[in-house]
Amino acid sequence: MGGQYRITGAKYPRMRPPRRRGRLVLVVTASVVVIGVLGWGTLQLVEVFTGGGDKASAAGTKSDCATKVSASPSAAVAVPRPGAVTVNVLNATTRSGLAKKTADELKKRGFRIGEVGNAPKQWDKKVKATGLLIGPASALNTSLPVLATQLPTAERSTDTRKGQAIDLIIGNGFKELAKKPTADRALAELTAPRPTATGVKAGC
């Protein structure tokens, strides 16, 4: 061959183009990524259609259960009926006949009447309120609330007396007992059973 290039020796040089290794690595990597994405997507579809996944998230945890409230009757207060309450009606005012008139009305409403007369000196003309209800400590949540339905504005107090009779001391602010319908409603609310909430887990 002419020219400036000479071939010497018994073998001809290879005229193969250079290998492109970088492109081959890129193609292999992309293929692996594509196969991985397709596999992950297939698993997700299988879980969706077969009901897989977290059972707790589908059914809800126990703490997510709604609380259902049901009412059960229970006695509001263990109070006696008027017929079991003995009332001493005492007048601490200067108006005569007030104790007897009030006692007669209480008797019509079912109360048992004990002593009727003037209030003792410690209370005579010293009660400015409508009245004062006094009884033993055991009557604080029993007999006294029952009598208070007839005169709700009266003050309540306890002492160390013997027996279960309670006193209604009529004060200067007294005009009359509560109207009978009003007193009856108050007494019914006092003795009626009230619902108490009972928690029940629904759907657990």
Side-chain angles (χ1 to χ4, degrees):
M1 295 180 67
Q4 58 181 344
Y5 298 101
R6 279 187 180 182
I7 300 174
T8 59
K11 295 182 178 180
Y12 290 97
R14 293 183 177 182
M15 305 303 288
R16 184 180 299 174
R19 296 179 180 178
R20 298 179 180 179
R21 294 183 179 179
R23 181 177 298 177
L24 179 62
V25 171
L26 181 61
V27 170
V28 172
T29 302
S31 300
V32 172
V33 172
V34 171
I35 292 172
V37 171
L38 291 175
W40 179 81
T42 302
L43 289 176
Q44 294 298 314
L45 289 175
V46 170
E47 288 185 358
V48 169
F49 286 104
T50 59
D54 191 359
K55 293 182 180 179
S57 62
T61 60
K62 291 184 178 180
S63 60
D64 294 333
C65 296
T67 300
K68 192 175 183 179
V69 177
S70 60
S72 60
S74 62
V77 183
V79 296
R81 295 291 179 180
V85 179
T86 300
V87 184
N88 300 320
V89 184
L90 308 173
N91 186 6
T93 74
T94 56
R95 291 175 281 172
S96 61
L98 196 56
K100 185 179 184 307
K101 180 180 178 181
T102 303
D104 290 343
E105 182 60 29
L106 286 174
K107 187 175 181 179
K108 291 179 182 178
R109 299 184 183 188
F111 288 86
R112 296 173 62 182
I113 304 301
E115 180 184 350
V116 178
N118 294 325
K121 290 183 179 180
Q122 69 178 114
W123 302 115
D124 190 27
K125 302 179 184 65
K126 297 177 183 178
V127 179
K128 296 181 180 180
T130 57
L132 180 61
L133 310 182
I134 306 176
S138 60
L140 184 60
N141 295 315
T142 55
S143 301
L144 287 178
V146 173
L147 183 56
T149 61
Q150 312 303 309
L151 190 60
T153 55
E155 299 175 359
R156 305 180 202 180
S157 180
T158 60
D159 57 18
T160 57
R161 71 180 63 197
K162 294 181 180 180
Q164 296 301 312
I166 58 179
D167 298 341
L168 166 55
I169 301 177
I170 301 173
N172 291 327
F174 181 86
K175 293 182 180 179
E176 62 181 1
L177 295 174
K179 299 296 183 181
K180 191 174 185 305
T182 302
D184 289 345
R185 284 195 300 270
L187 185 60
E189 292 177 0
L190 184 66
T191 58
R194 296 178 184 176
T196 56
T198 302
V200 178
K201 292 292 185 180
C204 295

